Amino acid sequence: MLAMVKRNMMLYFRNRSGVIFSLLGALISFVLYLVFLKKGISSNWAGISHKNQLLDTWLISGTLAITGITTTLTALSQMVKDKEQHVLEDLSLTDAGPLSIHFGYLISAIFIGFIMQLVMLVVMGSYFVVTDKISFQISQVVPTLGIMVLSAILATLVNAILASRFQTVDSFGKLATIIGTASGFLVGTYIPIGSLPTFAQTIMKMTPGSYIASLYRQVLMSDTIKDTFQQTNAIRYFNRLMGVQIKWSSLLSLVQTYSIVGALILITFLIVLIPSFIAQKQRQNLLN
């Protein structure tokens, strides 16, 4: 399995154009914010203190969520490619069983998703530290790294469900293009979730990436929000409008959001790996 993980990661990082394209959705989000969105959003919050700290960390949070989605999807394209070129059939003849092979793809995608999120955090954080003088506390950085792990795991599992339905790289690439384009809207980076119609908000709440973005925002923005808004109603309004907290019957707390992400990981893990468990069992029965 470790050999599979190493192979898949090497194939991903050797394809430099593929690495750039896997970050395209995140890079578009970052550039659009700098060129178009920041001025418009800033005008809505004119006069408040710590405005740059709030809006820049809001953008960083959504972009990290996008990065987890798109990079793991690109990493899993290797699984589709191996299926199309019948490499999986060759791998099945080795000592590695279906479960080990499948885990190899998943673990490599998780590593790739985490690494690329870390790269984007360093790039965006460095830019905003220099241009807007924003700051990060160690109490924010450590939980953010943990969320990166959760983001990479959840995105990998969800994308693995999608990848298992495709037989050719061409068709899977078209899906990746659609997801890369839509992810910025689905995590509420292009347009704040609270400014959208109820139907659109419901669609966004049904996507796992919105909860990852919410985790990032609650960790990176909570202290600044408390320093900026003195009234509880103002904090709730800002959190609901900007998607810092997802609202169902009420605004979800940090613990509740973590619980939802954990439940989604468990559910998708079972969906992804049950077929491999069955195939592994059948293989063992044939060998016996």
Side-chain angles (χ1 to χ4, degrees), residues 30 60 64 114-130 134 136 141 144-145 148:
F30 184 47
I60 289 172
L64 290 178
F114 175 81
I115 292 170
M116 300 312 290
Q117 285 180 90
L118 189 58
V119 169
M120 285 300 297
L121 176 63
V122 171
V123 170
M124 293 186 294
S126 299
Y127 176 84
F128 288 128
V129 166
V130 172
I134 72 169
F136 297 94
V141 174
T144 297
L145 295 177
M148 285 182 184

Side-chain angles (χ1 to χ4, degrees), residues 27 32 34 43 47 57 68-69 83 94 96 114-115 118 129 136 149 162 174 197 206 237 254 258 272 280 287:
L27 292 173
L32 281 178
L34 296 178
S43 64
T57 49
I69 295 169
K83 188 189 303 182
T94 66
F114 175 81
I115 292 170
L118 189 58
V129 166
F136 297 94
V149 175
L162 299 175
K174 294 175 182 176
M206 298 300 291
Y237 174 77
L254 183 63
Y258 270 120
V272 168
Q280 183 78 16
L287 293 176

Side-chain angles (χ1 to χ4, degrees), residues 31-48 51-52 55-56 58 189-192 195 238 241-242:
V31 172
L32 281 178
Y33 173 77
L34 296 178
V35 177
F36 300 107
L37 301 178
K38 185 176 183 179
K39 184 177 180 180
I41 297 175
S42 295
S43 64
N44 295 330
W45 301 99
I48 68 170
K51 181 170 61 176
N52 286 336
L55 297 182
D56 291 349
W58 176 80
T189 299
Y190 297 157
I191 304 174
S195 62
F238 181 85
L241 178 66
M242 301 300 289

Side-chain angles (χ1 to χ4, degrees), residues 147-165:
I147 297 172
M148 285 182 184
V149 175
L150 294 178
S151 172
I153 293 173
L154 181 57
T156 295
L157 293 172
V158 172
N159 288 332
I161 295 173
L162 299 175
S164 64
R165 302 293 187 270

Side-chain angles (χ1 to χ4, degrees), residues 102 106 154 156-162 164-165 263-278:
H102 207 164
L106 297 179
L154 181 57
T156 295
L157 293 172
V158 172
N159 288 332
I161 295 173
L162 299 175
S164 64
R165 302 293 187 270
L264 289 172
I265 288 175
L266 178 60
I267 293 170
T268 52
F269 178 81
L270 294 175
I271 293 173
V272 168
L273 290 182
I274 282 178
S276 295
F277 276 113
I278 295 174

